Every structure is written in structure tokens, then in C-alpha cells.
């Protein structure tokens, strides 16, 4: 009887160890599958943009020029890495912000007290679903991080 019990315990331990090894292997396989899925998406986008490689992708290596002539370039927020929400410094006005962020600042400034992301989303005329409120929450947080608003501990926002 003791031999059966010993065999059962040994067999259970051996199977548990094997199951752990298989779990690790499965996790590694899942990671590789995710990488391949991402590669498929990227390749599919490239193939769609280039008609399967029959058209040029539009990606060209620039040829070095000796000295380019100075040109006037219109710089807009978000272009060439320019921040949509710059860090606020004394004397900086709302004109430094894009129209969307300016509108949010006006809503917060016009409120009677601290506002939530849901309050601002409603004032912007958006649906009050998580998918519409969360982007507004991100914009409010960005404004607070860059010194334009003050964020309270309860996740509400006030003008600075």
C-alpha cells in the first residue's frame, strides 16, 4: 500500500514539474506569436501602401547637399516633434496652445470650481462614455503636467 502512495506522489510531482515546463514554453510561444502578428500588420500596411512592392514606398534616403539654401517653413504645433502643449512659463498666453487645448482651458477657467474629465467632455459636447472621456482626461493631465492647470488629489482640475 505504501508503494502505491509513494508512486502516486512521485508521479504527481513529476507531472507538476512537466506542466510548469510546458507553461513556460507556451508563454514563450505566445510571445513569438504576438511578435509575428505585429510583423504581419506592419507588412500588410507596407504592402497596401506599395501595392505589394510594385510601387515605390515613398521612403527615400536623402542625398547630402553641400549647403542648402535657407527656406521659410511654416511650423505648426505637432510638426517635427514640436509639442502640442508647451511647458508654461510666466507671461505665456493661451495663444501658445492649439485650439482644442485652448477650448479645454476656457471650460476649466469658466467653471465654478474644480472640474473632472467627465465635466469637460460633456462641455465639449462629447458622449460620456469611457472611450470619449479618457482622451479628455489625457489632455487635462498633459495640461497639468506642463503647468497650465492644477490637478487636485481627487483627479479634478483647476486653472493655475
Amino acid at each position: 500500500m505504501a508503494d502505491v502512495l509513494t508512486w502516486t506522489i512521485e508521479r504527481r510531482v513529476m507531472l507538476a514539474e512537466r506542466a510548469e515546463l510546458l507553461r513556460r514554453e507556451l508563454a514563450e510561444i505566445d510571445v513569438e506569436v504576438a511578435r509575428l502578428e505585429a510583423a504581419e500588420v506592419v507588412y500588410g500596411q507596407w504592402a497596401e501602401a506599395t501595392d505589394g512592392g510594385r510601387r515605390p514606398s515613398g521612403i527615400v534616403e536623402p542625398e547630402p547637399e553641400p549647403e542648402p539654401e535657407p527656406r521659410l517653413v511654416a511650423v505648426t504645433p505637432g510638426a517635427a516633434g514640436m509639442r502640442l502643449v508647451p511647458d508654461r512659463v510666466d507671461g505665456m498666453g493661451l495663444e501658445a496652445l492649439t485650439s482644442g487645448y485652448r477650448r479645454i482651458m476656457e471650460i476649466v477657467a469658466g467653471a465654478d470650481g474644480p472640474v473632472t474629465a467627465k465635466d469637460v467632455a460633456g462641455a465639449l459636447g462629447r458622449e460620456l462614455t469611457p472611450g470619449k472621456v479618457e482622451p479628455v482626461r489625457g489632455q487635462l493631465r498633459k495640461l497639468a503636467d506642463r503647468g497650465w492647470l492644477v490637478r487636485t488629489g481627487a483627479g479634478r482640475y483647476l486653472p493655475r
Side-chain angles (χ1 to χ4, degrees):
M1 184 81 150
D3 291 337
V4 172
L5 181 59
T6 303
W7 177 84
T8 305
I9 292 171
E10 288 173 352
R11 180 80 175 144
R12 182 185 50 80
V13 169
M14 183 188 73
L15 290 174
E17 289 171 353
R18 185 159 181 238
E20 182 59 32
L21 288 173
L22 290 172
R23 274 191 215 90
R24 286 187 201 148
E25 187 177 348
L26 180 59
E28 291 171 5
I29 290 170
D30 285 341
V31 168
E32 183 67 18
V33 166
R35 286 184 188 140
L36 291 172
E37 287 173 348
E40 280 181 57
V41 169
V42 170
Y43 179 78
Q45 291 171 342
W46 173 82
E48 186 177 307
T50 63
D51 194 23
R54 289 187 281 277
R55 287 186 305 185
S57 66
I59 301 172
V60 283
E61 292 293 323
E63 294 182 17
E65 296 179 19
E67 283 192 39
E69 294 181 27
R71 298 183 306 176
L72 294 176
V73 178
V75 177
T76 59
M82 185 176 169
R83 288 179 156 184
L84 290 173
V85 179
D87 290 323
R88 185 176 179 276
V89 293
D90 289 336
M92 185 180 279
L94 293 180
E95 64 278 352
L97 299 172
T98 62
S99 61
Y101 283 101
R102 250 185 269 138
R103 179 73 181 118
I104 291 173
M105 289 294 295
E106 291 166 1
I107 291 168
V108 174
D112 292 334
V115 296
T116 65
K118 196 172 191 176
D119 298 333
V120 175
L124 289 170
R126 297 187 183 178
E127 295 176 31
L128 299 182
T129 61
K132 301 294 182 180
V133 174
E134 288 306 314
V136 174
R137 187 180 322 282
Q139 290 174 308
L140 287 166
R141 184 175 295 264
K142 189 176 289 186
L143 286 165
D145 290 346
R146 307 262 168 86
W148 292 90
L149 295 175
V150 175
R151 183 174 188 265
T152 68
R156 294 175 181 263
Y157 296 87
L158 292 165
R160 184 166 293 279

